[in-house]
């Protein structure tokens, strides 16, 4: 039998249900405090483009960091520091978050937001091109969790560096790996989608990685996705 496409009313009800469920989950599992809310308000006031992760994604990052006992976390792409707050809050005393940001204005804002959250001593924002800053981090590796959320066209190179800077058991997490399905097209329509597609192939084919991904709604890309990879030894 031919499939029956949902009508507009059904689509509207489903969208309302998704919004309701997302709101309720966020309120219960990932409520934002003043520091998190203020970081978003400052970003909006400073004209930072919308692109921060959701509260539930932030809480997921925090739980993942706690699960792997992270003491050193690397973030590629700071934006205004919203995700950095979630990550740094998972660190124990003496732990360290190093966040890389190419935009001076965004980096300054991220530092201010992390400081307001009381995390200045355990979170450092470094300014510059990630591909230039990553080689310098070899002496500070390994990192227990690496979060990739910068320009998607360079995701394959970021993954290569993440593997060099990780250890057995490290987690590598990446956002925006679906891009409303564009990453799954035979010919991705732009560099960002092509970078996401290449990243997906790499984490699925790499012998040192065990990976999973799941979708989420994104204000810019419609349906997007998060991937989580665990680094295994070469002989695993």
């Amino acid at each position: 039998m031919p499939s029956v496409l949902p009508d507009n009313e059904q689509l509207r009800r489903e969208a309302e249900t998704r919004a309701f469920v997302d709101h309720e989950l966020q309120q219960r599992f990932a409520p934002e405090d003043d520091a998190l809310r203020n970081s978003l308000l400052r970003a909006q006031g400073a004209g930072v483009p919308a692109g921060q992760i959701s509260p539930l994604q932030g809480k997921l990052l925090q739980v993942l960091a706690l699960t792997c006992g992270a003491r050193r976390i690397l973030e590629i792409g700071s934006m205004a520091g919203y995700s950095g707050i979630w990550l740094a809050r998972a660190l124990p005393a003496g732990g360290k978050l190093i966040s890389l940001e190419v935009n001076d204005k965004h980096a300054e804002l991220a530092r201010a937001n992390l400081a307001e959250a009381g995390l200045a001593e355990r979170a450092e924002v470094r300014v510059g091109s990630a591909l230039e800053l990553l080689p310098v981090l070899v002496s500070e590796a390994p990192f227990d969790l690496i979060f990739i959320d910068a320009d998607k066209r360079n995701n394959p190179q970021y993954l290569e560096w993440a593997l060099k800077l990780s250890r057995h058991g490290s987690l590598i997490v990446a956002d925006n790996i679906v891009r409303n399905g564009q990453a799954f097209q035979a010919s991705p329509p732009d560099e960002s989608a092509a970078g996401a597609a290449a990243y997906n192939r790499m984490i699925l084919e790499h012998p040192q990685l065990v990976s999973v991904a799941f979708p989420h709604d994104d204000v810019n890309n419609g349906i997007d996705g998060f991937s989580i990879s665990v680094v295994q030894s070469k002989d695993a």
Side-chain angles (χ1 to χ4, degrees), residues 5 12-14 46 50 68 73 77 82 116 123 127 149 160 181 203:
L5 294 175
R12 183 189 64 79
R13 291 197 302 269
E14 290 176 353
C68 71
I73 299 174
Y82 183 83
E116 184 190 329
V127 182
D149 192 14
E160 290 174 357
I203 62 173

Side-chain angles (χ1 to χ4, degrees), residues 27-196:
Q27 293 301 307
R28 287 167 169 76
F29 290 94
E32 294 175 302
D33 60 10
D34 287 342
L36 288 165
R37 286 190 293 268
N38 289 340
S39 73
L40 294 176
L41 291 173
R42 287 197 190 93
Q44 184 178 13
V48 177
Q52 303 288 353
I53 62 173
S54 72
L56 285 168
Q57 288 174 296
K59 187 62 174 289
L60 174 61
L61 288 174
Q62 191 178 93
V63 169
L64 289 173
L66 290 167
T67 299
C68 71
R71 295 188 61 85
R72 298 189 64 78
I73 299 174
L74 173 62
E75 180 182 43
I76 304 175
S78 304
M79 288 290 281
Y82 183 83
S83 53
I85 293 174
W86 285 105
L87 285 165
R89 282 177 171 174
L91 290 168
K96 184 77 170 183
L97 165 71
I98 296 177
S99 186
L100 311 182
E101 175 55 49
V102 69
N103 185 295
D104 289 328
K105 177 181 175 182
H106 296 176
E108 183 179 352
L109 192 59
R111 292 189 187 108
N113 287 329
L114 286 161
E116 184 190 329
L119 300 166
E121 292 186 358
R122 67 181 66 179
E124 178 184 356
V125 181
R126 300 184 184 180
V127 182
S129 165
L131 292 179
E132 295 178 0
L133 295 174
L134 287 166
V136 182
L137 292 172
V138 171
S139 62
E140 302 178 68
F143 292 90
D144 307 300
L145 187 150
I146 300 171
F147 178 44
I148 302 173
D149 192 14
D151 56 311
K152 311 310 168 189
R153 60 191 174 90
N154 284 319
N155 267 11
Q157 292 95 311
Y158 296 151
L159 178 60
E160 290 174 357
W161 276 107
L163 286 162
K164 293 176 184 177
L165 298 171
S166 60
R167 57 166 175 79
H168 176 82
S170 290
L171 298 179
I172 301 174
V173 184
D175 195 14
N176 307 124
I177 54 95
V178 171
R179 303 195 69 80
N180 212 31
Q182 293 179 344
F184 305 135
Q185 295 178 9
S187 297
D190 55 46
E191 287 186 332
S192 293

